[in-house]
């Protein structure tokens, strides 16, 4: 056995005898024994300094010089264990055991190695061997008089029970504890006994486990191992913060011990602090570069943190280390696909298929990704070649269907799914996908019939009933939506997403009490349910309970790590209660280390909230904290240019500006410059051409909301441009039936040849997908109307147009403010307003009329401000009244107010409502109006407007001439009092407001906009 040990040692090390400077200086002057003593001294000193590699080399020399030195083999085993050289460590302990079959340290050392490697069953067997060495008949008498043996026995029993526990055998662990109580006097009161009992009861009785653990820790309060074991109990009893508080001091001295790092990662994992988990995992991987477990953990942490760059690095290292285990790369494909980086996913899938040529699943996945990144035709060619080579399979059949649906070829996808279901009629996923395809191919009502039939046949399968709920959502039928989500929650009470949608539907119906109860009941049972928690925080913000939201976010943060949603809600709430600046550094910890394109959009919404709060001075710290790749941040450049000193010289900032500059090259503005410089005769000459001389104008919008602002704008543009050129209306998916029936809106179906072809392609909005069919449209011009805050989407669309068509896009902005946000050239196009319908009153108010202030908007909190009640109270104090159309949402927020009507929103009779007012008031809170059509409607009705200076509409108001602009509530109250008490001022401002609206929306102004759509390009 010794020979085998030496042979093994010589195989694993070629190191010569390195005695160090002290030995070299005295070489030849000492005998062999002295050299061995020096070696032991040097090894022990290195070991005390925790220099494991150096100590290992010295102990190697000790056993090479004296092969029968048992202690040398034990210490060499310990050093190999510290260095994660588990096989070599076990070999050393086996050698020591062969030299002394009664040696306790041999099986105990093997057990320790197995514990470190997570091989718990082997560890249990080794500990049982160690116990038998002490409890065997030949040692029984000696043991009774030996304190050392008693301590060893207590230690062995404790670790044996823990090994059994981790191996999943709780009964065996309990039996070992009983044996320990028999063989070791006072075992249950000893630290190991207390700890074991705590671990064993942690699942069933957390309170008792913590009590036992605290008794254990009190015996060795400063000991790092005691901190580790107590923190382990905290992990098992879900006291994660307490565990971290205990473990943190120990990490200072044991930061090189992967067991401590792993436990810290576990605790942070439960708190969803993914950047910390990633940092700890990276450190473990550095310390144990040859152990794939740590690379796997670092990979998962990278995914959870959104750091795809790190995740990709660890997946590659894992594959190289394991020499063929590409499972992490497989997982990375799913992540890239979900993050929208489908070309990366496709290339990885192709590479992986070359490594696993037998995998039909990867062939099928590659085909689908080819469809989404290249073309459906190319995907079909690959599929036919695969079928010809290997024959049809279920995976290929699914890929055949999915490829068509993911490229927006819904009619073709419907045919393929019908074929698939002839062979696989019981495939629930295919039935569900067919329902959504039908919705986009032929309409919502047909899809509802499909889902209803499928639900009946499948005993109310989750996918079927969820599809019914989604169809009701697309119909904007609030009552049906509520009933269907309520049904799903009854059928599937553990479905968190359905519960959130049920609560959201209650909110939409203004049943705030029910929405809150749905959330609080769930959170009482599952406080760590982050999905419900995020919605509950949103609900509190949406109902104006900003301080309550802020308090709950503090609770929610204990169950989530960095989180975009929580960060955005925290900024919203804190800005409304004046606590943003004091808490900003704390909120920065919520910024996820997410590198993907989707993270850019989430970060954008945080920046928008800072803008709403007029606290963009905080932006530089947020930019420094985010990990989003600069290539996704072109939209950020204009924001950064407003405060250049804060980030001057920063490499990432310079790269952001470079990306913006590249985006600028994809935009042309010659038509905009032509229209701005043209005189009236020049505009008339463009419009004087016959319809046949102008290219067809294709207007694309989702056309899903009957009273949606973008939809109404698209129809108005179509009506005006249609007087001079042929216009076609398109929707990227099946539009609402109202638009199809009344206005002839068609769904884009590339597979059927139903898509815009040539001419001028106009997108009213940038918030829908266009890339799947864009290259086949072959437009002469592409125009985007940027009318909602979606800057990341705008820059993405500009890139897609350039890459797919080679056309430089043109931009229209619904306000100058929107153009300034992007920093790209374009033309201002106001949202059309019928100034004949919205006109001043022609008859005086009835007798007894009091001064009336009013406003109208959607009935949601973000359209109002929590301090607006002070304005309405000032009107009442002046003897007037206020009428707030769309103000019922403020009833829980405002105090009782005299002479103030909070009325439901409505979409008809708005002009008559406005003509019943004397002045118009407008301010929002967590939302900034891109334009503010309602303000322009009021001006057209000849009303003096008192409005916040923050909003797109502000460009249409000259303060003091045709309206009044304020920044603070005190200013607003003062302005309202002036208008209410000065009829002459009120009349003058109103008359000028009407004249401004006429200039803004005159036929000449609108003709100039129409001419832009038809302008000839060089």
């Amino acid at each position: 056995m010794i020979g085998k040990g030496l042979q093994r040692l010589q195989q694993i090390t070629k190191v010569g005898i390195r005695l160090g400077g002290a030995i070299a200086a005295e070489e030849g002057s000492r005998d062999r024994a002295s050299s061995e003593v020096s070696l032991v001294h040097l090894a022990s000193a290195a070991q005390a300094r925790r220099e494991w590699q150096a100590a290992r080399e010295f102990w190697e020399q000790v056993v090479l010089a004296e092969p029968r030195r048992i202690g040398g083999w034990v210490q060499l085993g310990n050093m190999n264990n510290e260095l994660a050289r588990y096989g070599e460590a076990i070999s050393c302990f086996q050698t020591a055991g062969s030299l002394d079959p009664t040696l306790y340290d041999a099986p105990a050392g093997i057990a320790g190695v197995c514990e470190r490697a997570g091989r718990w069953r082997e560890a249990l067997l080794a500990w049982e061997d160690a116990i038998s060495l002490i409890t065997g008949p030949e040692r029984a008498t000696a043991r009774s008089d030996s304190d050392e043996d008693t301590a060893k026995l207590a230690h062995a029993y404790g670790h044996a029970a823990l090994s059994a526990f981790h191996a999943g055998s709780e009964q065996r662990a309990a039996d070992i504890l009983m044996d320990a109580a028999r063989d070791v006097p006072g075992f249950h009161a000893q630290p190991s006994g207390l700890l074991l009992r705590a671990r064993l009861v942690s699942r069933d009785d957390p309170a008792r486990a913590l009590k036992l653990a605290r008794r254990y820790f009190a015996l060795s309060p400063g000991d790092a191992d005691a901190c580790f074991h107590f923190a382990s109990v905290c992990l098992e009893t879900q006291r994660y913060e307490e565990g971290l508080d205990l473990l943190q001091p120990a990490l200072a001295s044991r930061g090189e011990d992967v067991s401590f790092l792993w436990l810290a990662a576990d605790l942070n994992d439960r708190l969803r602090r993914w950047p910390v988990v990633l940092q700890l995992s990276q450190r473990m991987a550095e310390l144990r570069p040859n152990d794939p477990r740590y690379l796997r953990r670092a990979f998962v942490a990278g995914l959870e943190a959104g750091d795809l760059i790190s995740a990709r690095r660890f997946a590659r290292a894992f594959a190289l280390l394991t020499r063929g285990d590409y499972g992490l790369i497989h997982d990375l494909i799913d992540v890239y696909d979900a993050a929208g980086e489908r070309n990366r996913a496709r290339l990885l899938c192709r590479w992986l298929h070359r490594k696993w040529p037998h995998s039909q699943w990867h062939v099928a996945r590659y085909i689908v990704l080819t469809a989404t990144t290249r073309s459906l035709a190319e995907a079909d060619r690959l599929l036919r070649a695969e079928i010809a080579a290997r024959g049809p399979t279920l995976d290929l059949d699914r890929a055949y269907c999915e490829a068509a649906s993911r490229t927006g070829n819904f009619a073709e996808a419907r045919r393929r799914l019908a074929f698939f279901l002839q062979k696989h009629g019981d495939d629930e996923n295919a039935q569900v996908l067919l329902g959504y395809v039908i919705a986009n191919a032929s309409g919502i009502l047909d899809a509802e019939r499909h889902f209803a039939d499928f639900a009946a046949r499948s005993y109310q399968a989750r996918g079927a009933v969820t599809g019914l709920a989604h169809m009701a959502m697309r119909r904007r039928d609030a009552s049906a939506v509520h009933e269907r989500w309520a049904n799903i929650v009854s059928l599937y009470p553990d479905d968190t997403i359905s519960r959130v949608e049920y609560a959201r539907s209650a909110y939409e119906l203004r049943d705030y009490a029910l929405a809150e109860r749905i959330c609080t009941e769930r959170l009482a049972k599952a406080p760590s349910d982050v999905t419900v928690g995020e919605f509950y925080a949103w609900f509190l913000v949406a109902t104006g309970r900003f301080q309550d939201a802020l308090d709950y976010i503090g609770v929610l943060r204990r169950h989530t790590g960095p989180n975009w949603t929580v960060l955005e809600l925290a900024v919203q709430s804190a800005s409304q209660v004046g606590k943003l600046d004091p808490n900003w550094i704390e909120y920065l910890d919520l910024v996820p280390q997410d590198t993907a394109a989707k993270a850019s959009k989430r970060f954008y919404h945080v920046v928008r909230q800072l803008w709403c709060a007029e606290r963009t001075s905080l932006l530089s710290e947020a930019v420094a904290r985010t990990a989003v790749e600069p290539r996704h941040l072109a939209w950020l450049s204009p924001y950064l240019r407003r405060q250049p000193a804060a980030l001057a010289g920063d490499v990432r900032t310079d790269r952001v500006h470079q990306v913006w500059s590249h985006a600028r090259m994809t935009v042309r503005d010659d038509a905009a410059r032509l229209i701005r410089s043209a005189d009236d005769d020049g505009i008339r000459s463009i419009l004087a051409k016959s319809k046949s001389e102008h290219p067809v104008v294709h207007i694309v919008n989702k056309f899903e909301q009957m009273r949606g602002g973008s939809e109404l704008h698209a129809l108005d543009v179509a009506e005006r441009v249609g007087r001079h050129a042929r216009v076609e209306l398109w929707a990227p998916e099946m539009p609402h039936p109202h638009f199809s029936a009344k206005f002839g809106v068609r769904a884009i179906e590339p597979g059927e040849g139903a898509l815009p072809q040539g001419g001028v392609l106009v997108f009213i909005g940038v918030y829908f997908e266009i890339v799947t069919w864009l290259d086949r449209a072959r437009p002469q011009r592409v125009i985007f109307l940027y009318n909602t805050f979606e800057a990341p989407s705008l820059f993405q669309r500009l890139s897609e147009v350039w890459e797919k068509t080679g056309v430089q896009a043109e931009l229209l902005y619904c306000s100058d403010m929107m153009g300034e946000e992007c920093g790209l050239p374009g033309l201002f196009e106001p949202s059309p307003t019928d100034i004949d319908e919205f006109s001043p009153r022609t008859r005086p108010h009835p007798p007894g009329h009091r001064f009336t202030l009013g406003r109208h908007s959607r009935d949601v909190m973000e359209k109002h401000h929590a301090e607006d009640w002070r304005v309405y109270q000032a009107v009442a104090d002046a003897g007037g009244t206020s009428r707030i159309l769309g103000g019922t949402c403020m009833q829980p927020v405002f105090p009782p107010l005299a002479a103030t009507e909070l009325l439901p929103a409505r979409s008809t009779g708005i002009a008559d409502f406005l003509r019943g007012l004397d002045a118009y008031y407008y301010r929002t809170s967590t939302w900034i109006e891109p334009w503010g059509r309602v303000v322009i409607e009021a001006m057209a009705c000849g009303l003096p407007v008192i409005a916040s200076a923050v909003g797109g509409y502000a460009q249409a108001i000259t303060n003091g001439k045709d309206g009044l602009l304020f920044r603070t509530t005190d200013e607003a109250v003062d302005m309202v009092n002036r208008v209410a008490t000065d009829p002459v001022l009120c009349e003058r401002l109103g008359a000028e407001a009407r004249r401004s609206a006429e200039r803004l929306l005159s036929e000449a102004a609108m003709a100039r906009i129409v001419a832009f759509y038809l302008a000839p390009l060089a």
Side-chain angles (χ1 to χ4, degrees):
M1 188 68 181
I2 301 173
K4 290 183 179 179
L6 284 171
Q7 184 179 15
R8 169 74 168 164
L9 180 59
Q10 290 166 350
Q11 289 173 346
I12 63 178
T13 179
K14 299 295 185 181
V15 181
I17 299 177
R18 288 164 33 185
L19 303 181
I23 295 177
E26 298 177 352
E27 187 175 2
S29 64
R30 296 188 178 186
D31 57 18
R32 180 172 177 174
S34 297
S35 297
E36 291 166 10
V37 171
S38 297
L39 280 170
V40 170
H41 175 75
L42 291 169
S44 300
Q47 199 167 329
R49 295 191 302 270
R50 306 180 71 82
E51 296 174 359
W52 310 128
Q53 182 60 40
R56 174 182 177 274
E57 293 176 3
F58 285 128
W59 285 118
E60 280 180 347
Q61 305 316 312
V62 170
V63 297
L64 282 170
E66 191 178 355
R68 302 192 66 82
R69 190 183 187 106
I70 297 173
W73 287 107
V74 169
Q75 294 303 329
L76 181 57
N78 289 332
M79 295 306 96
N80 280 321
N81 190 23
E82 291 291 348
L83 293 168
R85 303 172 75 144
Y86 300 132
E88 298 170 31
I90 289 175
S91 178
C92 291
F93 288 122
Q94 288 174 338
T95 301
S98 69
L99 292 169
D100 181 359
T102 67
L103 180 67
Y104 167 86
D105 289 341
I110 292 171
V113 173
C114 293
E115 284 184 347
R116 181 73 68 90
R119 292 149 52 180
W120 297 107
R121 293 192 180 280
E122 295 174 56
L124 174 59
L125 294 174
W127 283 120
E128 288 176 337
D129 288 343
I131 291 169
S132 66
L133 287 177
I134 300 176
T135 59
E138 67 279 5
R139 295 288 300 276
T141 303
R143 178 175 54 81
S144 63
D145 298 325
S146 171
D147 291 338
E148 181 183 352
D149 277 357
T150 299
K152 287 180 178 178
L153 191 58
H155 181 264
Y157 269 127
H159 278 270
L162 277 176
S163 297
F165 176 79
H166 286 300
S169 180
E170 293 188 19
Q171 183 56 53
R172 178 61 185 138
D175 292 343
I176 292 171
L177 284 181
M178 291 181 65
D179 292 342
R182 180 196 65 211
D183 293 341
V184 181
F187 177 78
H188 284 330
Q190 292 184 11
S192 55
L194 291 167
L195 175 62
L196 277 166
R197 288 159 61 202
R199 301 292 291 270
L200 287 173
V201 302
S202 60
R203 296 174 187 172
D204 300 326
D205 193 347
R208 185 180 173 215
L210 285 168
K211 184 178 179 180
L212 290 166
R214 290 190 178 101
R215 286 176 57 193
Y216 157 79
F217 187 67
L219 297 174
S220 306
D223 183 70
D225 288 328
C227 293
F228 175 88
H229 293 305
F230 192 179
S232 298
V233 175
C234 290
L235 175 67
E236 291 162 6
T237 55
Q238 301 183 18
R239 300 292 294 264
Y240 309 127
E241 292 281 7
E242 184 177 354
L244 280 173
D245 290 343
L246 282 165
L247 194 62
Q248 203 61 41
L251 281 173
S253 61
R254 302 292 286 274
E256 304 294 300
D257 190 322
V258 291
S259 299
F260 280 71
L261 295 171
W262 190 281
L263 178 57
D266 277 345
L267 291 163
N268 281 287
D269 183 307
R270 302 307 190 275
L271 293 167
R272 302 174 69 85
R273 296 173 179 169
W274 302 119
V276 180
V277 178
L278 177 58
Q279 183 182 15
L280 291 165
S281 302
Q282 286 176 319
R283 183 58 183 148
M284 287 187 278
E286 291 168 2
L287 291 170
R288 297 288 186 269
N290 297 319
D291 192 328
R293 291 180 303 160
Y294 303 109
L295 290 170
R296 181 187 293 278
R297 173 128 207 195
F299 169 80
V300 172
L303 293 187
E304 294 290 357
D307 187 346
L308 299 187
I309 295 175
S310 292
R312 183 168 69 243
R313 185 174 73 251
F314 290 122
R316 182 176 180 276
F318 181 87
L320 290 173
L321 179 62
T322 56
R323 297 183 181 179
D325 187 343
Y326 303 117
L328 301 190
I329 295 176
H330 172 98
D331 295 341
L332 197 59
I333 293 171
D334 292 335
V335 174
Y336 274 128
D337 193 4
E341 299 191 34
R342 297 189 178 94
N343 202 49
R344 285 183 181 271
R346 181 182 67 85
L347 294 174
L348 277 177
C349 195
R350 183 178 67 181
W351 181 85
L352 201 56
H353 176 57
R354 289 170 179 169
K355 299 293 183 179
W356 287 339
H358 61 283
S359 173
Q360 283 285 303
W361 186 93
H362 287 91
V363 174
R365 187 64 178 277
Y366 179 66
I367 288 169
V368 172
L369 290 169
T370 298
T372 58
T373 56
R374 297 293 185 85
S375 69
L376 181 61
E378 185 173 348
D380 287 346
R381 180 182 61 78
L382 293 172
L383 186 139
R384 287 178 59 81
E386 189 66 24
I387 290 176
R390 307 188 186 214
T393 66
L394 178 60
D395 285 333
L396 292 176
D397 285 349
R398 285 178 174 152
Y400 185 52
C401 301
E402 189 180 353
S405 65
R406 288 186 62 171
T407 53
N409 288 266
F410 298 117
E412 177 63 16
R414 184 176 184 176
R415 287 188 287 268
R416 295 184 182 194
L417 282 163
F419 163 70
F420 178 88
L421 289 168
Q422 287 177 0
K423 298 195 292 182
H424 313 286
D426 58 347
D427 191 303
E428 180 178 333
N429 291 333
Q431 291 282 5
V432 171
L433 178 59
L434 178 58
Y436 291 105
V437 165
I438 290 172
N440 292 322
S442 62
I444 298 169
L445 297 180
D446 286 348
E448 283 194 303
R449 282 190 287 270
H450 169 80
F451 281 122
D453 291 343
F454 176 44
R457 296 195 311 270
S458 62
Y459 303 97
Q460 306 301 305
R462 185 180 311 210
V465 292
T466 301
L468 282 170
H470 286 156
M471 294 306 106
M473 293 170 75
R474 289 184 64 170
R475 284 194 290 106
R476 296 294 192 275
D477 187 336
S479 296
V481 169
H482 183 67
E483 290 302 318
R484 288 177 179 176
W485 286 117
N487 178 54
I488 295 170
V489 169
S490 298
L491 288 168
Y492 302 100
D494 295 329
D495 188 335
T496 296
I497 300 298
S498 298
R499 191 171 295 276
V500 166
E501 293 300 334
Y502 180 36
R504 194 187 309 278
S505 67
Y507 168 83
E508 294 292 340
L509 291 172
R510 294 291 187 270
D511 192 344
Y512 297 151
L514 175 59
E516 184 164 12
R517 186 168 68 250
I518 292 168
C519 295
T520 54
E521 288 178 355
R522 171 61 180 170
L523 292 171
K525 295 179 181 178
S528 60
D529 189 332
V530 174
T531 303
V532 174
E534 288 176 351
F535 175 79
Y536 184 49
W538 175 88
F539 168 79
L540 293 173
V541 171
T543 53
R545 295 159 59 182
F546 298 112
Q547 185 57 55
D548 289 345
L550 208 56
D551 293 341
Y552 176 67
I553 285 170
V555 175
L556 182 59
R557 287 188 62 188
R558 294 202 292 266
H559 304 291
T560 182
N563 183 301
W564 290 117
T565 300
V566 177
L567 173 60
E568 185 178 349
L569 293 171
V571 172
Q572 281 183 303
S573 304
S575 65
Q576 294 298 309
V577 297
K579 296 182 178 179
L580 181 56
D581 285 71
N583 295 335
W584 180 237
I585 298 301
E586 178 184 348
Y587 294 155
L588 287 174
D589 291 337
L590 288 167
V591 178
Q593 296 304 293
D594 200 335
T595 61
K598 287 187 176 181
S600 172
K601 296 181 180 180
R602 303 305 303 272
F603 182 51
Y604 170 74
H605 291 303
V606 174
V607 173
R608 292 284 313 136
Q609 288 304 319
L610 292 176
W611 191 16
C612 287
E614 299 187 76
R615 299 300 296 122
T616 51
S617 60
L618 303 175
L619 178 59
S620 59
E621 293 166 311
V623 172
R625 189 66 67 96
T626 182
V628 180
E629 294 182 68
R631 64 192 177 97
H632 302 311
L633 292 174
W635 59 267
L636 185 59
S637 180
Y639 286 95
L640 296 176
R641 285 199 295 267
R642 292 172 194 150
Q643 42 179 347
L647 292 163
D650 180 77
V651 175
R652 291 182 74 248
T653 299
D654 292 343
R655 177 61 180 145
V656 167
H657 293 320
Q658 291 172 8
V659 175
W660 178 90
S661 297
H662 177 75
R664 171 64 183 86
M665 300 296 292
T666 67
V667 177
R668 66 186 300 172
D669 64 336
D670 47 348
R673 286 187 278 108
L674 171 66
I675 296 302
R676 273 194 294 267
S677 61
D679 58 18
D680 290 344
D681 289 339
I683 297 299
R684 281 193 290 270
S685 68
I686 294 174
L687 300 180
K689 296 179 181 179
S690 66
K691 284 191 175 184
S692 61
E693 292 180 276
H694 289 299
V696 63
V697 177
H698 303 278
I699 298 177
V700 185
N701 181 262
K702 292 199 78 171
F703 289 108
E704 61 179 359
Q705 299 186 55
M706 290 180 61
R707 297 295 301 172
S710 288
E711 284 84 350
L712 295 176
H713 195 143
L715 293 175
D716 188 272
V717 171
E719 191 275 329
R720 292 178 183 275
V721 175
R723 301 171 193 170
H724 306 277
R726 183 163 67 90
V727 172
E728 294 186 358
L729 298 176
W730 299 92
E733 298 176 351
M734 184 57 62
H736 192 286
H738 165 77
F739 295 108
S740 299
K742 189 172 181 179
F743 301 102
V745 178
R746 289 186 287 168
I748 294 173
E749 276 285 359
E752 305 298 299
L755 75 163
Q757 294 281 345
V760 181
L761 188 54
V762 179
F763 295 100
I764 307 297
V766 299
Y767 48 88
F768 44 85
E769 296 290 336
I770 63 175
V771 71
T772 56
W773 54 268
L774 192 58
D775 56 339
R776 299 178 60 183
R778 295 185 292 277
Q780 296 169 287
R781 295 175 66 191
V782 177
I783 299 170
F784 288 101
L785 172 63
Y786 184 52
N787 59 354
T788 56
F789 289 110
E790 295 286 348
S793 295
L794 173 62
F795 280 88
Q796 181 179 346
R797 300 291 168 264
L798 294 175
S799 175
E800 290 168 350
V801 168
W802 176 249
E803 291 174 2
K804 291 290 185 178
T805 70
V807 173
Q808 289 176 291
E810 301 167 74
L811 294 174
L812 288 168
Y813 296 108
C814 69
S815 68
D816 290 344
M817 180 181 69
M818 299 296 281
E820 291 168 3
E821 190 209 19
C822 299
L824 298 172
L827 192 68
F828 162 56
E829 177 184 309
S831 178
T833 300
D834 189 336
I835 59 176
D836 292 329
E837 177 187 359
F838 290 92
S839 59
R841 61 178 177 271
T842 57
R843 289 177 292 183
H845 289 302
H849 173 80
R850 295 189 295 169
F851 174 84
T852 304
L853 181 76
R855 58 161 287 167
H856 66 304
S857 68
R858 287 190 294 118
D859 204 346
V860 292
M861 168 63 65
E862 65 184 14
K863 292 286 188 176
H864 301 264
H865 195 283
E867 292 186 352
D868 285 346
W869 68 270
R870 292 179 53 195
V871 174
Y872 307 140
Q873 186 63 55
V875 173
D877 293 342
T881 185
S882 299
R883 304 190 72 215
I884 316 304
L885 204 62
T888 63
C889 62
M890 303 304 290
Q891 288 173 345
V893 180
F894 288 170
L897 295 172
T900 302
E901 298 178 76
L902 300 178
L903 305 169
R906 66 173 189 250
S907 58
T908 59
I910 300 300
D912 289 335
F913 168 79
L914 291 173
R915 283 189 282 266
L917 305 177
D918 294 289
Y920 190 83
Y921 172 79
Y922 199 74
R923 174 167 64 166
T924 58
S925 58
T926 58
W927 167 261
I928 294 178
E929 290 289 0
W931 171 234
R933 181 172 178 162
V934 294
V935 175
I936 309 304
E937 291 172 349
M939 294 176 68
C941 287
L943 294 175
V945 171
I946 303 101
S948 167
V950 181
Y953 54 77
Q955 75 181 74
I957 300 173
T958 301
N959 192 29
K961 179 183 178 183
D962 53 7
L964 299 172
L965 298 174
F966 64 85
R967 286 197 171 273
T968 68
T969 303
D970 288 340
E971 290 177 357
V973 169
D974 179 65
M975 290 175 179
V976 167
N977 279 327
R978 285 166 54 197
V979 171
T981 57
D982 188 343
V984 175
L985 174 64
C986 185
E987 184 176 352
R988 177 176 65 79
L989 290 173
E992 287 293 336
R994 172 65 186 183
R995 282 190 280 273
S996 294
E998 288 174 344
R999 286 192 297 271
L1000 182 70
L1001 300 166
S1002 65
E1003 282 301 319
M1006 291 297 100
R1008 194 167 288 268
I1009 294 299
V1010 171
F1012 170 78
Y1013 290 100
L1014 304 177
L1017 295 181

